[in-house]
Amino acid sequence: LSSIAVWYYQFWSLVSSTDGTFIMESCHQYPADMTIDASWKAARAFSILAFIFGIIVLIVSMIKSCAYDPDKYSALDKWMPPAYFLTGTFQALTLLVLSSDLCKDNSLMDEIPMKEVLFPETCSIANGAKLIISATAFWVAASFASFMAQKAKKAETDEEIDAGLREPLNLSA
């Protein structure tokens, strides 16, 4: 057992053949009889939410940027900063897995066939967690940048209306 994640774990096994003994690396789903505690379930739920929100934000951004008339979708502008921020929050909350039984009392550690290889007893921040932290930072930065762009666009529109360069919508005509 080398690396654990929310859904799968990386496993190393000894394979003997006529050419010798090799260490094989594979990815396995957790056994069905393994107990999943609340922190682990929450981490799984937040990983799903981060994925769904990320896809939604991507699709909305693509539609808006490829639209012939982007002003037609200007109502979406106010929802983008919170959507980016929520996606980042969900991404960060995936790290709840570090406080779960998966990391503190992992029964799979007892099943390791290679006793000569030592693995740590608890989880630590590895590459996956570092990627989650950096993704969270990028989502929050996108939220801030989107909010500032929306604010600048509103100020520009208000300035154009005040200068008489743009007529406000008149429905009485």
Side-chain angles (χ1 to χ4, degrees):
L1 182 68
S2 170
S3 296
I4 64 161
V6 177
W7 298 98
Y8 297 96
Y9 66 96
Q10 179 182 16
F11 191 79
W12 294 359
S13 55
L14 290 174
V15 177
S16 297
S17 71
T18 55
D19 294 333
T21 302
F22 302 96
I23 297 177
M24 298 295 291
E25 182 180 336
S26 58
C27 192
H28 295 270
Q29 198 169 20
Y30 291 102
D33 63 339
M34 192 162 183
T35 304
I36 300 175
D37 67 337
S39 295
W40 191 0
K41 286 179 184 177
R44 283 184 165 188
F46 287 125
S47 72
I48 292 169
L49 287 171
F51 178 75
I52 291 170
F53 269 69
I55 294 296
I56 290 170
V57 165
L58 173 69
I59 291 170
V60 169
S61 297
M62 286 175 32
I63 289 171
K64 191 163 169 26
S65 66
C66 295
Y68 178 71
D69 184 14
D71 289 335
K72 182 178 178 181
Y73 299 100
S74 62
L76 296 174
D77 286 343
K78 68 179 178 181
W79 296 106
M80 292 308 285
Y84 285 127
F85 189 78
L86 270 176
T87 306
T89 302
F90 294 150
Q91 187 77 57
L93 288 172
T94 303
L95 292 176
L96 283 172
V97 75
L98 294 174
S99 67
S100 70
D101 285 344
L102 177 63
C103 286
K104 293 182 177 176
D105 186 28
N106 192 341
S107 61
L108 291 175
M109 295 302 287
D110 300 331
E111 299 174 16
I112 298 174
M114 301 180 299
K115 296 299 179 188
E116 63 273 1
V117 180
L118 298 175
F119 294 106
E121 291 294 322
T122 60
C123 297
S124 62
I125 296 199
N127 291 340
K130 290 175 186 174
L131 290 172
I132 288 173
I133 292 167
S134 64
T136 299
F138 282 118
W139 284 117
V140 171
S143 174
F144 180 72
S146 179
F147 175 75
M148 295 305 291
Q150 177 186 352
K151 190 175 173 181
K153 184 176 180 181
K154 180 165 176 18
E156 181 182 338
T157 303
D158 291 345
E159 189 176 294
E160 288 175 0
I161 289 172
D162 290 343
L165 299 173
R166 184 185 283 192
E167 290 291 323
L169 184 62
N170 186 357
L171 297 176
S172 63

